[in-house]
Amino acid sequence: MILVSVLIVFAFWGLKNYFGAPLDLAAPDVETKEEEQEYLPPERNIYDIKAIFDGQNKFQVEMNFTYVNNTLDTQQELYFHLYPNMFSSSKRIPFFKADFYRAFPQGFSLGGLAIKEVKQDGKDVAWSMTQEDQILHVPLGNPVNPKEISNIYMQFELIVPKARFRFGYQTFGNDKMTMSLGNWYPILAIYKDGKWSLDNHQAVGDCTYSDIADYTVSFTVPSDDFTVAASGVLKESYLSSEGYVYVYSIDKIRDFAAAISNNYETASEEIDGIKITSYFPPEDKRGGFMALNVAKYALGIFNEAFGKYPYPELKIAEANYYPGGMEFPTFIMMDSAKYKEDNLSNTSLERSAAHEVAHQWWYNLVGNDQINEPWLDEGITEFSTAYYFEKRYGEPGRESYFSRQVDTTVNFIKNNPRHMLDPLYLFKSHSEYFAEVYVSGVLFYEDMRSRIGEENLLDFFRSYLETFMYKNVSLEEFKKFLKDKNYEALDESFYNKWFNP
Ligand SMILES: [Zn+2]
């Protein structure tokens, strides 16, 4: 079964893609050794996506998804999130009412992902959509046993709404545009304890809950005026009959995002051997360089504190995302408002950029269910943000951070009925969510530091990263991991205070 599937995958995909480079057949090694290498199955899911952009707001996309069944059960079906379909009807707008004009400055705009074809190992599949078209159900003609692999081919059209969101675009002047491509392709849902996790996107917070996978994504754009900023590393670019092609690739990330604009300049720097690139429009050069500078310092501080960022590049792109900044693996999307002069002097850009860099550890490397347990990544990420200000600027940096973000919020938290461990759908505004989930995270880790000391806290972070790197962690696992450390200073009162509201 494995062999058959592997051969079919090769037929779709070619040996070149599978090994990332052409095989050198002219200089064969010992023959048996080479055969073994040829049939080595992939360890994790692979997304191979080809997207052709029309220069306006549509993409024609083909996706070859190699499913590796790393669960303990035979899978008869797969489920994929179709997040773009949160924009597919004017009857259900995916934001709070108060946010409507921030998300749609020119009024509501439709978007979505229309599936045209799904095949498993070359055979048509009777796919269907559920949950307001936000979930794709793929029944498998050939059930996939544990450790086996199968190829799922999809063809779809993507329509991007005119929205200031992770998935959306904005136009400027006569012919300038910037497109945010986050949560834009069918992504496999998490299967855990015999159940698929199929929560829809919420009005607040992030929606991603996914497994680590390998990605190769090619974007074809109609002219070389367009710059493609994306997760991963640019492997090749060339001119084809359909346009300019940019191929990005990276292994072991949790999601893949991009921003496309015909109005980008770039600037790069390096720290600890990692290349950082900032993308910004010419009029926001100061903000673009500031984002680059913050990303560089944050990466350096977190490399030392938590353990080294394991990828060769990090990109930070000015785009349109009304809530502020958005983390994606090896790629950060920042709202253009952050790059305006006022926000450069009031630390708004700096806080956001440092926060999204910290998410590279807490969300990408150590994943979690961001809808039901958002505190797991946001709490530790916001503490890391405070830690960045403290390490970079010393006591004044810490004081400035606390006076802006924490001191003004402590009373609100005391009097508000929500708890830091609540799921996204219980929060009624961004400010309530920020106070309860982010600021409580700062207070939680501050409390831990004051009890066990900074060295122990950093040791805890490093061992937490090592234990859960490239996995998803649950709140129960987090609590058990912490308790198993047996820190004497963390008594029952500590656990009751934070975990038993
Ligand atoms: Zn965050």
Side-chain angles (χ1 to χ4, degrees):
M1 183 64 197
I2 290 179
L3 185 66
V4 171
S5 301
V6 168
L7 288 174
I8 289 166
V9 169
F10 277 160
F12 272 92
W13 202 16
L15 284 166
K16 183 175 176 289
N17 271 340
Y18 185 66
F19 290 104
L23 287 175
D24 185 7
L25 296 173
D29 210 336
V30 184
E31 224 168 74
T32 51
K33 205 176 157 195
E34 190 168 277
E35 265 171 30
E36 271 171 29
Q37 196 188 7
E38 274 183 29
Y39 299 112
L40 200 64
E43 285 172 36
R44 63 193 88 84
N45 298 336
I46 301 169
Y47 291 83
D48 188 347
I49 304 174
K50 291 184 172 60
I52 300 175
F53 178 41
D54 72 351
Q56 305 285 319
N57 72 330
K58 286 198 186 78
F59 290 81
Q60 303 302 326
V61 190
E62 282 185 296
M63 179 167 115
N64 267 299
F65 174 70
T66 304
Y67 175 61
V68 181
N69 186 354
N70 282 325
T71 74
L72 300 173
D73 301 328
T74 295
Q75 298 301 343
Q76 318 267 359
E77 58 189 355
L78 298 177
Y79 287 92
F80 294 81
H81 290 276
L82 303 179
Y83 294 117
N85 285 343
M86 71 175 102
F87 292 101
S88 67
S89 165
S90 58
K91 292 197 185 79
R92 38 183 168 81
I93 290 166
F95 306 111
F96 294 127
K97 271 205 182 91
D99 290 345
F100 183 86
Y101 283 105
R102 297 176 69 203
F104 301 108
Q106 289 104 16
F108 181 70
S109 168
L110 281 170
L113 190 161
I115 298 280
K116 293 180 172 171
E117 192 178 18
V118 182
K119 291 183 175 197
Q120 183 199 12
D121 298 331
K123 289 194 195 107
D124 281 334
V125 165
W127 57 272
S128 60
M129 296 202 285
T130 61
Q131 291 183 207
E132 299 172 328
D133 297 344
Q134 292 179 54
I135 295 291
L136 172 67
H137 176 233
V138 177
L140 299 174
N142 302 323
V144 185
N145 294 321
K147 297 293 158 207
E148 286 186 353
I149 71 171
S150 185
N151 172 268
I152 307 296
Y153 168 83
M154 291 183 199
Q155 209 188 330
F156 57 92
E157 182 180 67
L158 200 60
I159 298 179
V160 184
K162 197 168 189 179
R164 283 179 57 218
F165 204 55
R166 295 189 283 256
F167 179 66
Y169 77 100
Q170 293 287 280
T171 52
F172 312 90
N174 285 339
D175 60 348
K176 299 295 183 199
M177 63 105 67
T178 300
M179 161 125 359
S180 306
L181 278 188
N183 309 123
W184 60 283
Y185 60 94
I187 188 166
L188 186 71
I190 291 276
Y191 179 86
K192 191 183 171 191
D193 303 331
K195 276 200 330 221
W196 291 90
S197 176
L198 303 178
D199 295 300
N200 280 2
H201 183 273
Q202 304 294 311
V204 70
D206 306 334
C207 54
T208 320
Y209 179 31
S210 54
D211 282 319
I212 289 284
D214 297 347
Y215 283 83
T216 298
V217 181
S218 93
F219 295 98
T220 303
V221 297
S223 93
D224 64 355
D225 291 341
F226 286 101
T227 299
V228 179
S231 292
V233 174
L234 182 66
K235 290 291 171 181
E236 51 177 340
S237 58
Y238 54 89
L239 183 60
S240 80
S241 59
E242 286 160 316
Y244 290 81
V245 184
Y246 299 89
V247 184
Y248 281 89
S249 181
I250 188 96
D251 285 352
K252 290 188 140 180
I253 58 171
R254 206 170 283 287
D255 193 2
F256 187 102
I260 299 176
S261 177
N262 55 2
N263 199 28
Y264 271 156
E265 285 186 6
T266 67
S268 295
E269 285 219 48
E270 212 178 283
I271 186 159
D272 301 336
I274 300 152
K275 183 183 175 190
I276 305 165
T277 305
S278 175
Y279 297 77
F280 49 88
E283 61 272 23
D284 290 342
K285 191 168 262 172
R286 218 164 85 80
F289 274 86
M290 186 165 167
L292 180 65
N293 176 279
V294 174
K296 177 183 155 181
Y297 274 90
L299 205 57
I301 288 168
F302 300 149
N303 273 341
E304 201 181 319
F306 310 144
K308 200 179 169 198
Y309 176 85
Y311 310 100
E313 292 196 35
L314 174 67
K315 304 196 183 77
I316 182 160
E318 178 181 332
N320 308 287
Y321 176 58
Y322 83 85
M326 182 63 205
E327 73 279 13
F328 291 99
T330 71
F331 183 78
I332 293 166
M333 212 178 254
M334 298 284 292
D335 187 51
S336 54
K338 300 264 180 210
Y339 287 63
K340 306 305 173 202
E341 286 298 323
D342 285 356
N343 287 327
L344 301 184
S345 49
N346 72 9
T347 73
S348 168
L349 173 69
E350 183 162 17
R351 194 205 70 81
S352 260
H355 177 98
E356 310 315 337
V357 173
H359 268 305
Q360 299 302 317
W361 281 262
W362 321 123
Y363 148 70
N364 180 39
L365 294 178
V366 178
N368 60 289
D369 179 342
Q370 291 193 298
I371 287 184
N372 293 297
E373 297 180 334
W375 177 82
L376 275 177
D377 66 300
E378 294 299 355
I380 189 171
T381 293
E382 191 59 21
F383 174 79
S384 306
T385 311
Y387 186 80
Y388 157 87
F389 279 100
E390 185 181 317
K391 290 298 141 184
R392 182 159 183 188
Y393 304 108
E395 198 51 32
R398 179 187 158 84
E399 275 169 19
S400 151
Y401 174 86
F402 270 74
S403 71
R404 281 170 200 279
Q405 310 297 344
V406 181
D407 302 346
T408 46
T409 315
V410 170
N411 276 335
F412 175 87
I413 297 175
K414 269 189 204 140
N415 300 320
N416 189 54
R418 295 271 63 83
H419 188 262
M420 69 180 194
L421 303 180
D422 283 343
L424 285 188
Y425 46 82
L426 293 180
F427 293 99
K428 297 286 173 256
S429 71
H430 291 282
S431 55
E432 181 186 48
Y433 175 57
F434 179 79
E436 290 294 341
V437 176
Y438 294 51
V439 177
S440 294
V442 177
L443 297 171
F444 171 86
Y445 288 103
E446 279 291 323
D447 191 11
M448 241 177 102
R449 173 159 69 173
S450 72
R451 291 171 191 242
I452 67 174
E454 178 157 329
E455 264 322 297
N456 279 329
L457 181 68
L458 293 179
D459 272 351
F460 171 78
F461 287 153
R462 286 189 276 262
S463 104
Y464 177 57
L465 175 69
E466 229 167 77
T467 306
F468 294 102
M469 187 143 156
Y470 303 130
K471 296 176 185 152
N472 280 297
V473 66
S474 69
L475 186 62
E476 283 313 307
E477 287 166 329
F478 174 85
K479 282 196 269 188
K480 182 173 185 311
F481 183 76
L482 177 58
K483 281 193 170 167
D484 286 350
K485 292 284 178 191
N486 291 315
Y487 296 117
E488 255 176 52
L490 302 189
D491 51 17
E492 271 314 298
S493 73
F494 173 84
Y495 292 102
N496 283 333
K497 175 179 166 192
W498 293 106
F499 296 130
N500 300 323

